Amino acid sequence: MDGARSVNEATGTVSSARRGESGKGERIADWADGRLGLYALAKANMRKVFPDHWSFMLGEVCLYSFVVLILTGVYLTLFFEPSGAEVAYHGPYAPLNGVLMTKAYASTLDISFEVRGGLLIRQIHHWAALVFVTGMLVHMMRVFFTGAFRKPREINWLFGWTLLMLGILTGLTGYSLPDDLLSGTGIRFADGAILSIPVVGTYISFFLFGGEFPGHDIISRLFPVHVLLLPGIMLGLVVAHLILVFYHKHTQYPGPGRDQRSVVGMPFLPVYMAKAGGFFFLTFGVLAVMGGIASINPVWAFGPYRPDLVTTGAQPDWYLGFSEGLIRVMPGWEINAWGHTLVPGVLIPFSLFPLILLALGVYPFVEAWITGDRREHHILDRPRNMPVRTGLGAAWLSLYGVLLIGGGNDIVATHLHLSINAITWFVRIGVFVLPVLTFIVTKRICLGLQRRDRDSVLHGRETGTIRMLPHGEYIEVHEPLSQGRLFTLTQHEQNPPYEIGPRVDAGGVRRPVTVSQRVRERLARAMFGPGTHIPKPTPEEHRELTAGDHHH
């Protein structure tokens, strides 16, 4: 009869049976389902619930910027010529007519002035790169401050961290391809850092550049790395990252009805997909507007690269200012011994740059070792409830900020009419002082917010209403918090830190204690011991204070 359902005994699939022959689309769907099990897969995952919060869009900004980078990069690849061979320019940009330049720089000028929409696509591509790296850093900070890197998401944190590192490298290689005077200065900076590596630095430089700097091979070698190798690895990591997000389920902020097993939000289809699609076009539109109205990297204004020239006010993109700041503020130390010259003034900051980023990558494993917590966590921490972790993250950001000032010390000096030497010494001192001050201030702010939460739980919300009691005393009326708000403010755990325990057992025998255990105990006490949190109100305290009119 019409609308009846029949079971295919061979495959176990269920399909609709109607009087007469099925439609073509239905037959294709039944064929695919019988071989791939798509119906069961879609039924299990397409209605998957995703929580909703504005900060979750940071990851989407990264994803959509990456898509825009791929699309615009493919277009630019059609017209760019990655060659270091020299030609005389004869094109629409009159100030450079007759000037010798590489084919890479000439093709960049052609893209900017002769290819239809070329300059717009170039600028969208560059802006998307900046937004992509910015989005990744801010997204990782959201994950860090809320503890979203905890089990089972440590591997996904490493995927994100690797994407950040590869994004920086991809930006460096793409920034260098036009071979203008600004990007050439950046290449020379990188070559100087490579040459500072003892013993093998010279060999690495000759291998990369095909001889003495600047050589003729670096552009043709950077090109496949920029357009194929690094984007291919990043695309694989993005796919793996999204699969793990889907598999582990999305983290969510604490609130009523939310625990380690249940998720409060909207289904993947159709709500989340519709919102995600709209947000993609919004991101693409914003990047297009930025590319259309905000000039970036006007290579024609810098001219072609020449080893005997350097631009004034040469600055890399912001994400590389960290490394340049390290080298600019480092004293120019040199060591001459046994006929060899070591340059620790370059080697030390060149080595510190990846080490500082590595500290960010391994932190989840360090915290897991300190706490010994092997449970799965799907509820996010409020940053105020983890003051030491929040302070460490803020200190890392302050270090990045002060080194960014060091990387642009000449720009800061000219725009603010300050001494470049004073700025340099400010950065040298600030590298050691500002992160410590930032940590202390951030930790105290977090503890103050915890005290305010405790007071709100016990006394309620201030209403601004003043009441006079019969005996003449004036008090402010406090309104009790809702049960949902009380849950949000008190759901976090305050577990005691790891302790080794008594050094001597009941039989008077001294227990062996390793150095690792001592370090773990001290770190646990510093991160989670006394002075790192304000005790939560107990149910007894809450009942006592809210009984009758005591909360007024």
Side-chain angles (χ1 to χ4, degrees):
M1 53 191 279
D2 291 347
R5 296 170 65 83
S6 61
V7 180
N8 187 320
E9 296 181 358
T11 63
T13 59
V14 181
S15 62
S16 299
R18 296 182 178 174
R19 199 181 304 276
E21 189 176 355
S22 302
K24 184 177 180 180
E26 187 176 353
R27 292 199 305 272
I28 294 175
D30 287 341
W31 181 89
D33 183 52
R35 290 154 180 79
L36 303 175
L38 296 178
Y39 174 77
L41 183 66
K43 184 178 181 181
N45 294 292
M46 294 299 100
R47 299 293 292 175
K48 192 178 185 70
V49 174
F50 278 78
D52 191 16
H53 192 270
W54 67 266
S55 65
F56 298 155
M57 293 192 298
L58 296 171
E60 295 182 43
V61 169
C62 303
L63 175 62
Y64 303 148
S65 300
F66 183 68
V67 173
V68 173
L69 279 170
I70 296 295
L71 296 176
T72 54
V74 169
Y75 183 83
L76 295 173
T77 303
L78 301 176
F79 306 100
F80 182 74
E81 189 170 354
S83 172
E86 285 193 336
V87 296
Y89 178 73
H90 298 285
Y93 189 66
L96 290 178
N97 272 330
V99 175
L100 288 178
M101 60 185 65
T102 60
K103 290 183 178 180
Y105 184 71
S107 64
T108 304
L109 293 178
D110 291 340
I111 291 173
S112 302
F113 296 117
E114 296 192 74
V115 175
R116 186 180 297 274
L119 180 58
L120 176 63
I121 299 299
R122 266 196 65 232
Q123 298 202 147
I124 292 176
H125 188 75
H126 203 134
W127 278 118
L130 295 180
V131 171
F132 176 57
V133 181
T134 304
M136 283 195 292
L137 182 62
V138 178
H139 175 60
M140 289 188 70
M141 287 299 99
R142 196 276 301 174
V143 172
F144 180 87
F145 286 124
T146 59
F149 53 75
R150 293 171 295 175
K151 185 182 177 181
R153 297 176 180 84
E154 304 97 329
I155 301 300
N156 226 10
W157 169 266
L158 286 182
F159 284 169
W161 180 84
T162 306
L163 279 169
L164 177 63
M165 294 294 292
L166 292 178
I168 293 175
L169 290 177
T170 308
L172 174 62
T173 56
Y175 175 84
S176 305
L177 286 178
D179 199 36
D180 59 282
L181 189 55
L182 183 61
S183 66
T185 303
I187 287 286
R188 166 177 275 175
F189 174 89
D191 179 59
I194 293 171
L195 289 173
S196 70
I197 302 175
V199 183
V200 298
T202 304
Y203 299 98
I204 296 175
S205 175
F206 269 62
F207 171 76
L208 290 177
F209 291 92
E212 188 74 31
F213 178 86
H216 296 285
D217 298 334
I218 187 64
I219 297 175
S220 58
R221 290 176 176 178
L222 287 179
F223 183 71
V225 172
H226 178 73
V227 303
L228 289 176
L229 179 62
L230 294 178
I233 298 174
M234 292 173 69
L235 183 60
L237 288 173
V238 167
V239 172
H241 186 78
L242 294 177
I243 290 174
L244 286 180
V245 169
F246 206 91
Y247 174 72
H248 290 143
K249 76 183 181 182
H250 206 293
T251 54
Q252 56 186 338
Y253 285 93
R258 303 170 186 177
D259 54 37
Q260 301 295 348
R261 295 186 176 182
S262 62
V263 180
V264 178
M266 296 295 181
F268 184 70
L269 280 177
V271 179
Y272 186 81
M273 281 299 297
K275 293 172 64 176
F279 193 54
F280 166 74
F281 289 107
L282 179 62
T283 304
F284 204 153
V286 170
L287 290 174
V289 171
M290 294 170 66
I293 67 175
S295 177
I296 187 170
N297 198 26
V299 295
W300 55 89
F302 307 135
Y305 178 67
R306 283 177 46 182
D308 59 329
L309 297 178
V310 64
T311 57
T312 57
Q315 302 294 317
D317 286 332
W318 71 268
Y319 47 84
L320 290 171
F322 186 105
S323 60
E324 181 145 339
L326 279 167
I327 291 182
R328 284 197 185 191
V329 302
M330 185 74 182
W333 296 338
E334 286 188 4
I335 299 176
N336 295 297
W338 300 289
H340 297 278
T341 301
L342 295 179
V343 192
V346 177
L347 179 62
I348 292 176
F350 181 58
S351 305
L352 282 177
F353 176 67
L355 290 178
I356 292 173
L357 291 175
L358 182 63
L360 188 66
V362 302
Y363 179 84
F365 302 95
V366 174
E367 183 175 300
W369 172 69
I370 293 173
T371 61
D373 188 359
R374 295 178 175 84
R375 299 171 300 167
E376 290 193 1
H377 294 273
H378 303 290
I379 299 296
L380 298 173
D381 290 327
R382 301 174 75 212
R384 67 185 63 182
N385 294 329
M386 302 295 292
V388 174
R389 181 205 294 157
T390 304
L392 290 174
W396 191 93
L397 290 175
S398 70
L399 175 63
Y400 194 101
V402 71
L403 287 174
L404 197 60
I405 296 174
N409 54 2
D410 52 343
I411 300 296
V412 176
T414 55
H415 281 65
L416 299 183
H417 306 289
L418 298 173
S419 166
I420 193 170
N421 292 327
I423 296 172
T424 301
W425 275 106
F426 165 78
V427 174
R428 287 176 177 175
I429 298 172
V431 162
F432 300 99
V433 175
L434 284 181
V436 176
L437 291 178
T438 302
F439 173 82
I440 295 173
V441 171
T442 303
K443 181 181 175 182
R444 290 184 64 86
I445 291 174
C446 290
L447 293 175
L449 292 173
Q450 286 188 43
R451 290 189 182 92
R452 190 183 71 173
D453 288 346
R454 175 183 170 87
D455 185 70
S456 297
V457 170
L458 293 177
H459 302 285
R461 183 180 65 85
E462 298 177 354
T463 63
T465 302
I466 305 299
R467 175 182 297 177
M468 186 180 72
L469 299 180
H471 58 275
E473 180 186 358
Y474 288 91
I475 63 169
E476 182 179 11
V477 177
H478 286 229
E479 181 182 274
L481 301 181
S482 64
Q483 290 298 316
R485 185 61 179 165
L486 289 173
F487 174 80
T488 301
L489 296 181
T490 59
Q491 55 78 39
H492 58 284
E493 299 177 346
Q494 291 183 336
N495 299 317
Y498 166 80
E499 293 183 353
I500 298 177
R503 303 298 196 272
V504 180
D505 62 18
V509 178
R510 187 172 183 82
R511 295 171 51 211
V513 178
T514 64
V515 175
S516 174
Q517 288 177 312
R518 293 195 185 96
V519 172
R520 180 183 174 189
E521 183 183 48
R522 291 178 181 177
L523 289 175
R525 189 183 303 115
M527 294 185 66
F528 307 105
T532 63
H533 63 268
I534 304 300
K536 295 191 300 182
T538 63
E540 292 75 17
E541 289 177 316
H542 183 261
R543 283 195 295 268
E544 180 181 353
L545 287 174
T546 57
D549 290 333
H550 289 218
H551 62 281
H552 293 310

